[in-house]
Amino acid sequence: MKINTNFGNIAENYLFSTVASKLAAFQKEHPEREIVKLSVGDVTRPLAPVVIAAMHRAVEDLAHAETFKGYGPDRYSYGYPELLDAIRSSYARKGVEVKREEVFISDGAKSDLGNLLDLFSAENVVLVPDPVYPAYVDANTMAGRKILYADANRENVFLPLPEEGVHADLIYICSPNNPTGAVYDRAGLKAWVDYAKREHALILFDAAYEYFISDPALPRSIFEIEGARDCAVEICSFSKTAGFTGVRCGYTVVPDTLCFDGFSLNRMWARRQATKFNGASYIPQMGAAAVFSEEGEEEIRANIAYYKENARIIGDCLDGLGIWYTGGKNSPYIWLKCPNDMKSWEFFDALLEKAGVVGTPGSGFGKNGEGYFRLTAFGTKENTEKACRRIEAFCRG
Ligand code: MLT
């Protein structure tokens, strides 16, 4: 047996595990200290009532022989029609037409962002922005792919555009971006679509945070851009949209127009899923279907407004301190320059020790993240305000 030695090329721990173990070590040493966590982007609001009601009904279905469900529907995507149609109607509201057969239900975006790689040769060159959500880099490093980085920095407001003369086969784009909170406009996404088509490349578009976009001029789906159906798949999640981080449900749209070397990516993905996946479970799927009902949209928007108010509170705090940041307007993440030119981990340690606040060091997302820091708006309002008071005292002290 030969081991996949590519695992030797990734960091020993996943970024958020490193942050969690640093915090656990600190708390062991200082059990009396009360820590405010604005690090991992995990939600704190309870599920919307309409989702809870739908999941209760789904549990009841499973309690009776007449309505009991075993394996999901006998379709490649293993999605229930109620959910597939709810997703299609959510797309229709963005002016995007998606067929039932193009929607694949998953247990969340992260799984598909890695699993989709089964369809592509290890020889493909991958292009990711730097800084970047670490799962893209880790998944491709595990498979031994060459990774190129598109520099995101203050000059391009963390929204890099394709560079002439650079070839890539697979391109990851996340907008609104994790970790920077930056959001591409139509022209920016169009530049990537045109580039992908020129290079015969595929865009893996991570739309996990699309519901945080409130500016109607900003695109929420890559499929709002002309030509994207020929060069992009879109990976979506109910985690941040509807607080499903613990429930687990997501979806991926693979257009039936995507064809490479005579292979239909839609057919390949369906075949892959039929072999390796038996679908997301019934109860979360029914809860997810309720998210896109009229009532559901209203209720989840109230939760999103709550988080965006947290983002505003953090933004006001940073403005008051004269600290540069991006994100937080159409995104739950605030990406800030560490004060006094501190390095990311240096600021992490100082903020934890002196202020009892945990964030995520920017350098954990790539070399261009050095000197930056990410705060999440997914905490409670009370904790967000507390963290801001402590950050102010720390910076002014
Ligand atoms: C984050 O904090 O970056 C996210 O929670 C990670 C994720 O969604 O997997």
Tab-separated table of all heavy atoms in Angstrom, residues 14 16 39-42 110 133 178 209 240 333 365 374, ligand 1:
chain	number	residue	atom	x	y	z
A	14	TYR	N	-6.198	22.043	10.388
A	14	TYR	CA	-7.045	22.978	9.654
A	14	TYR	C	-7.049	24.300	10.437
A	14	TYR	O	-7.012	24.293	11.680
A	14	TYR	CB	-8.449	22.381	9.556
A	14	TYR	CG	-9.389	23.110	8.631
A	14	TYR	CD1	-9.081	23.300	7.301
A	14	TYR	CD2	-10.613	23.588	9.097
A	14	TYR	CE1	-9.954	23.968	6.451
A	14	TYR	CE2	-11.493	24.254	8.259
A	14	TYR	CZ	-11.154	24.446	6.934
A	14	TYR	OH	-12.014	25.102	6.094
A	16	PHE	N	-9.134	26.541	11.479
A	16	PHE	CA	-10.044	26.794	12.600
A	16	PHE	C	-9.800	25.833	13.759
A	16	PHE	O	-10.132	26.128	14.898
A	16	PHE	CB	-11.503	26.778	12.120
A	16	PHE	CG	-11.758	27.895	11.139
A	16	PHE	CD1	-11.870	27.643	9.777
A	16	PHE	CD2	-11.829	29.208	11.572
A	16	PHE	CE1	-12.063	28.673	8.875
A	16	PHE	CE2	-12.018	30.253	10.674
A	16	PHE	CZ	-12.137	29.989	9.318
A	39	SER	N	-14.478	34.361	15.985
A	39	SER	CA	-13.489	33.721	15.103
A	39	SER	C	-14.186	32.917	14.014
A	39	SER	O	-14.444	33.449	12.928
A	39	SER	CB	-12.526	32.869	15.923
A	39	SER	OG	-13.218	32.116	16.894
A	40	VAL	N	-14.530	31.657	14.267
A	40	VAL	CA	-15.149	30.854	13.205
A	40	VAL	C	-16.528	31.429	12.861
A	40	VAL	O	-17.229	31.948	13.739
A	40	VAL	CB	-15.221	29.359	13.611
A	40	VAL	CG1	-16.227	29.125	14.716
A	40	VAL	CG2	-15.527	28.472	12.418
A	41	GLY	N	-16.862	31.378	11.589
A	41	GLY	CA	-18.136	31.948	11.135
A	41	GLY	C	-19.302	31.033	11.435
A	41	GLY	O	-19.950	30.538	10.514
A	42	ASP	N	-19.562	30.830	12.724
A	42	ASP	CA	-20.686	29.963	13.079
A	42	ASP	C	-21.849	30.798	13.609
A	42	ASP	O	-21.652	31.725	14.395
A	42	ASP	CB	-20.256	28.934	14.133
A	42	ASP	CG	-21.216	27.762	14.189
A	42	ASP	OD1	-22.175	27.742	13.388
A	42	ASP	OD2	-21.022	26.873	15.032
A	110	LYS	N	-19.180	22.930	1.823
A	110	LYS	CA	-17.781	22.508	1.973
A	110	LYS	C	-17.532	21.139	1.347
A	110	LYS	O	-16.508	20.916	0.697
A	110	LYS	CB	-17.430	22.486	3.456
A	110	LYS	CG	-15.953	22.392	3.757
A	110	LYS	CD	-15.825	22.220	5.263
A	110	LYS	CE	-14.473	22.538	5.789
A	110	LYS	NZ	-14.466	22.385	7.263
A	133	TYR	N	-10.333	31.030	1.455
A	133	TYR	CA	-10.924	30.023	2.351
A	133	TYR	C	-10.033	28.771	2.281
A	133	TYR	O	-9.828	28.222	1.193
A	133	TYR	CB	-12.345	29.743	1.845
A	133	TYR	CG	-13.132	28.689	2.582
A	133	TYR	CD1	-13.136	28.599	3.969
A	133	TYR	CD2	-13.932	27.780	1.874
A	133	TYR	CE1	-13.887	27.641	4.620
A	133	TYR	CE2	-14.685	26.824	2.519
A	133	TYR	CZ	-14.656	26.756	3.897
A	133	TYR	OH	-15.408	25.800	4.542
A	178	ASN	N	-15.117	35.002	1.606
A	178	ASN	CA	-14.576	34.553	2.877
A	178	ASN	C	-13.082	34.387	2.626
A	178	ASN	O	-12.720	33.607	1.734
A	178	ASN	CB	-15.199	33.207	3.274
A	178	ASN	CG	-14.648	32.697	4.585
A	178	ASN	OD1	-13.981	33.420	5.302
A	178	ASN	ND2	-14.923	31.439	4.887
A	209	TYR	N	-22.442	32.992	0.835
A	209	TYR	CA	-22.826	34.201	1.588
A	209	TYR	C	-23.731	35.141	0.792
A	209	TYR	O	-23.887	36.308	1.139
A	209	TYR	CB	-21.550	34.939	2.042
A	209	TYR	CG	-20.681	34.050	2.913
A	209	TYR	CD1	-19.636	33.306	2.367
A	209	TYR	CD2	-20.945	33.913	4.269
A	209	TYR	CE1	-18.872	32.451	3.151
A	209	TYR	CE2	-20.190	33.060	5.063
A	209	TYR	CZ	-19.156	32.338	4.493
A	209	TYR	OH	-18.414	31.495	5.284
A	240	LYS	N	-25.236	29.667	6.228
A	240	LYS	CA	-25.177	31.073	6.609
A	240	LYS	C	-26.475	31.776	6.217
A	240	LYS	O	-26.877	32.740	6.843
A	240	LYS	CB	-23.969	31.753	5.969
A	240	LYS	CG	-22.663	30.937	6.063
A	240	LYS	CD	-22.210	30.698	7.487
A	240	LYS	CE	-21.254	29.527	7.627
A	240	LYS	NZ	-19.869	29.759	7.441
A	333	TYR	N	-18.436	39.069	7.185
A	333	TYR	CA	-17.044	39.127	7.639
A	333	TYR	C	-16.480	40.535	7.529
A	333	TYR	O	-16.746	41.246	6.554
A	333	TYR	CB	-16.162	38.163	6.841
A	333	TYR	CG	-16.534	36.716	7.072
A	333	TYR	CD1	-16.901	35.893	6.009
A	333	TYR	CD2	-16.540	36.183	8.355
A	333	TYR	CE1	-17.264	34.569	6.229
A	333	TYR	CE2	-16.897	34.854	8.582
A	333	TYR	CZ	-17.267	34.059	7.514
A	333	TYR	OH	-17.633	32.758	7.738
A	365	PHE	N	-5.138	32.548	6.130
A	365	PHE	CA	-5.840	32.445	4.845
A	365	PHE	C	-4.889	32.640	3.662
A	365	PHE	O	-5.338	32.682	2.518
A	365	PHE	CB	-6.952	33.492	4.761
A	365	PHE	CG	-8.026	33.353	5.811
A	365	PHE	CD1	-8.018	34.138	6.952
A	365	PHE	CD2	-9.053	32.425	5.664
A	365	PHE	CE1	-9.011	34.028	7.916
A	365	PHE	CE2	-10.049	32.299	6.616
A	365	PHE	CZ	-10.033	33.100	7.754
A	374	ARG	N	-9.552	38.702	10.750
A	374	ARG	CA	-10.972	38.582	10.383
A	374	ARG	C	-11.852	38.493	11.627
A	374	ARG	O	-11.580	37.714	12.531
A	374	ARG	CB	-11.190	37.323	9.527
A	374	ARG	CG	-12.551	37.302	8.840
A	374	ARG	CD	-12.888	35.941	8.275
A	374	ARG	NE	-13.321	35.037	9.327
A	374	ARG	CZ	-13.779	33.809	9.126
A	374	ARG	NH1	-13.855	33.329	7.902
A	374	ARG	NH2	-14.160	33.054	10.137
B	1	MLT	C1	-15.399	30.260	8.437
B	1	MLT	O1	-15.334	30.659	9.596
B	1	MLT	O2	-14.602	30.591	7.564
B	1	MLT	C2	-16.506	29.338	8.068
B	1	MLT	O3	-17.323	29.073	9.132
B	1	MLT	C3	-15.984	28.112	7.561
B	1	MLT	C4	-17.008	27.291	6.868
B	1	MLT	O4	-18.070	27.762	6.490
B	1	MLT	O5	-16.704	26.139	6.675
